[in-house]
Amino acid sequence: MPRSLNIKLVLFSLLAWIAVGCKKSTPQPSGGSNPPNQEECLDYVFNGGEVFDTYITTGVQYARPFFNPNNGDEFVYVRSGTGTYTELVKRKISTGQETILCNSLMIPSQPQWSKQGWILFSAINNAIWKVREDGSQLTQIIAGGASNFTPVLNYDGDKFIGNKIFDLDGAIIDSIQDQYGSISIGYVVSGNQDFKNGYYRYYDGSEPVQNFGYCKLNNNQSIDKLTSFSMNGGEAVAACRNNENLYYARYMNGLYQVNIASRQEEKIMECCQSRYVVSLSMSPNGKNIIFERVRGHQTTPGGMVIDEQSEIFLYNLITKKETKILWEE
């Protein structure tokens, strides 16, 4: 049975910190359209019984991609395991050309790319930073320690939401009511024009089983539920949407599509312990999703140590075909 992402024990092999600031480069493409054979989707079998399985990462990790809202041929992602803690990288899909925007900060969550050409991200201490899409003007806009782990931009890209609603200079301009009787709203879905009428993950304390899901906020006054599910079937870890559908990934379970108008839901991608999706971003034309998939294997047959590799894929919502963009052999 899938478990919560929050209870995994992850061991990081920290490399020496190299404080070289932000720079630009054009490394050779790391992947292509003809990936190696993909491992089967399997659950792990532990010879000694599952007690304290340990998760590690080795090698280069390609994580947390987010589309350029003005150009579906570009995205930004976070790369680790290359000699610094993390690198914020811009990549052009058609050519594989890359630009390192920043490599002086630890970035634990998905960056956001605004229509104004700013890229926002949180650092390891919950400080919020922004940098221009050419790698210039790296600026801290919110001090560390605040509850702003994953900033999410609105559709126009001129404001973002953390624990409050901020402008791109970090000034508080509004807030969202997060409690509606027994229902608490949490993570916001990217792509909202107006946060007061946006889409959010929720928790309903009055429901004994189907107590999680996604909902629409109505002018900061009430909510409409789109879907509900139990945490026992996998925690919802990422979501994005276009005009017709909301898409969300459940940890070690699958990728789901919910029609916003009809509330009809279907699983469009299977996930499991050895292959699961943890981040999503919608293309500007609403026809593609770019996502991070984690692929794992037991370092020894029946052993308790799982080595996981983060890879980046492009998924066409029309053809239902996926293309592997970045991976390590």
Side-chain angles (χ1 to χ4, degrees), residues 19 43 50 57 195 234 317:
D43 286 335
E50 187 178 0
T57 58
F195 291 125
L317 295 169

Side-chain angles (χ1 to χ4, degrees), residues 45-209:
V45 176
F46 300 100
N47 290 339
E50 187 178 0
V51 181
F52 292 111
D53 45 325
T54 301
Y55 291 79
I56 64 172
T57 58
T58 56
V60 181
Q61 308 296 315
Y62 306 97
R64 300 180 282 282
F66 194 89
F67 266 116
N68 179 344
N70 300 313
N71 179 4
D73 191 37
E74 286 187 320
F75 66 95
V76 65
Y77 73 96
V78 178
R79 181 168 62 201
S80 61
T82 57
T84 59
Y85 278 120
T86 57
E87 295 170 321
L88 183 67
V89 184
K90 178 177 67 175
R91 183 179 178 90
K92 191 167 186 177
I93 297 173
S94 60
T95 65
Q97 181 181 8
E98 292 193 335
T99 302
I100 298 177
L101 304 179
C102 184
N103 62 359
S104 61
L105 295 165
M106 186 70 171
I107 305 172
S109 62
Q110 187 179 38
Q112 301 274 299
W113 195 330
S114 81
K115 288 186 174 182
Q116 289 75 28
W118 286 103
I119 294 171
L120 272 68
F121 58 91
S122 64
I124 193 66
N125 63 348
N126 284 348
I128 305 297
W129 294 74
K130 66 179 181 179
V131 65
R132 295 295 298 177
E133 59 190 21
D134 64 359
S136 65
Q137 301 181 55
L138 177 68
T139 307
Q140 182 176 333
I141 58 175
I142 295 180
S147 301
N148 296 301
F149 178 70
T150 307
V152 175
L153 286 160
N154 66 340
Y155 179 80
D156 290 333
D158 60 354
K159 63 186 71 171
F160 69 93
I161 189 168
N163 61 344
K164 302 286 185 181
I165 299 175
F166 303 86
D167 64 20
L168 294 190
D169 292 322
I172 297 175
I173 57 176
D174 212 337
S175 62
I176 290 293
Q177 181 179 328
D178 59 7
Q179 192 71 37
Y180 297 86
S182 63
I183 299 173
S184 303
I185 62 172
Y187 295 120
V188 63
V189 179
S190 62
N192 293 296
Q193 186 73 38
D194 175 11
F195 291 125
K196 291 186 177 181
N197 290 282
Y199 294 81
Y200 296 81
R201 193 177 75 170
Y202 74 83
Y203 166 74
D204 190 342
S206 69
E207 296 182 349
V209 179

Side-chain angles (χ1 to χ4, degrees), residues 288-309:
N288 294 285
I289 289 175
I290 196 164
F291 66 89
E292 173 192 350
R293 174 184 283 152
V294 177
R295 171 173 53 89
H297 69 276
Q298 292 171 287
T299 58
T300 58
M304 304 297 292
V305 178
I306 310 300
D307 190 353
E308 294 190 322
Q309 173 70 31

